[in-house]
Amino acid sequence: MIYLHKIMDCSYDLMLLQKKIFLPIYLKYFDKHNPIFESRKIMQYRLRNKNTKAYYVVYEEKKESFKTVGYVILRFNNNIATIGRIGILNKYQNKGIGTLVIEELEKRFSNYKIWQLDTIKEEKRNCHLYEKLGYIPTGEERKINKRMTILNYEKRLERL
């Protein structure tokens, strides 16, 4: 079971969690836009945006044993919800947590009919997860470097 706990402020714990989650990605792709390089000031600015919501992902490992295993940041604009960033610690990946998080967000914010996100095209597990949840590649891609391409996805929850 997962819980989404609203992030109220940019704490050092959040910045450390972000670095733990995204350092392995950096070491694989060496992209200069990796979240490990984001300053606390920039994260604070992002969290204070009125069109942004952010949550810690809290996972119940065992009965009454809870662990913060990731976080997610959403942006809202008109009828569009964008999953701007979702990260789960490596140790907790492949346990269905990402699926539960996205399903919960789509329920919680069901008034948004168009959902968007992007991911690293070379991360096949991520692509599989999003496609399994009904997200469709838009065909838009951005080449970051020779190792990494960003692929955009979109999902329509129901007809507009």
Side-chain angles (χ1 to χ4, degrees):
M1 176 171 267
I2 61 113
Y3 301 93
L4 297 179
H5 180 72
K6 188 167 174 52
I7 298 174
M8 303 302 288
D9 202 8
C10 181
S11 69
Y12 288 103
D13 289 340
L14 174 59
M15 298 306 293
L16 181 60
L17 179 64
Q18 177 168 275
K19 287 183 184 348
K20 284 181 182 177
I21 290 168
F22 290 102
L23 181 60
I25 298 293
Y26 174 74
L27 294 174
K28 188 172 182 180
Y29 298 106
F30 299 103
D31 63 300
K32 63 183 179 184
H33 304 290
N34 188 291
I36 66 169
F37 297 115
E38 186 172 71
S39 71
R40 187 168 182 258
K41 184 176 180 180
I42 295 294
M43 177 65 94
Q44 187 78 314
Y45 176 79
R46 185 185 314 276
L47 295 177
R48 288 185 178 158
N49 183 312
K50 66 182 174 102
N51 296 321
T52 299
K53 295 199 181 296
Y55 299 92
Y56 286 111
V57 178
V58 180
Y59 178 58
E60 188 173 12
E61 284 186 284
K62 301 173 189 155
K63 190 167 176 64
E64 303 294 319
S65 175
F66 302 94
K67 171 88 173 156
T68 299
V69 300
Y71 73 102
V72 60
I73 298 175
L74 296 149
R75 291 186 314 273
F76 302 96
N77 187 13
N78 298 324
N79 199 33
I80 300 172
T82 301
I83 300 174
R85 188 173 298 156
I86 183 170
I88 305 295
L89 291 166
N90 277 349
K91 176 181 175 182
Y92 296 93
Q93 292 178 7
N94 294 315
K95 296 181 181 293
I97 295 171
T99 298
L100 294 172
V101 169
I102 293 171
E103 289 174 345
E104 174 60 27
L105 292 171
E106 289 175 353
K107 266 190 253 168
R108 193 175 287 196
F109 299 104
S110 62
N111 55 316
Y112 290 91
K113 304 307 178 193
I114 300 171
W115 285 71
Q116 298 175 336
L117 57 85
D118 61 29
T119 194
I120 300 168
K121 183 178 182 179
E122 294 77 10
E123 290 295 310
K124 299 302 179 197
R125 288 187 335 206
N126 290 359
C127 295
H128 173 75
L129 166 66
Y130 301 136
E131 290 170 19
K132 175 182 82 172
L133 290 169
Y135 287 79
I136 298 167
T138 64
E140 294 176 48
E141 296 183 5
R142 291 185 319 268
K143 187 85 170 161
I144 302 300
N145 60 35
K146 64 183 179 181
R147 295 180 182 99
M148 181 177 160
T149 302
I150 298 295
L151 178 61
N152 293 349
Y153 281 88
E154 185 172 284
K155 177 179 182 178
R156 292 178 182 261
L157 293 185
E158 59 184 53
R159 292 187 178 226
L160 299 175

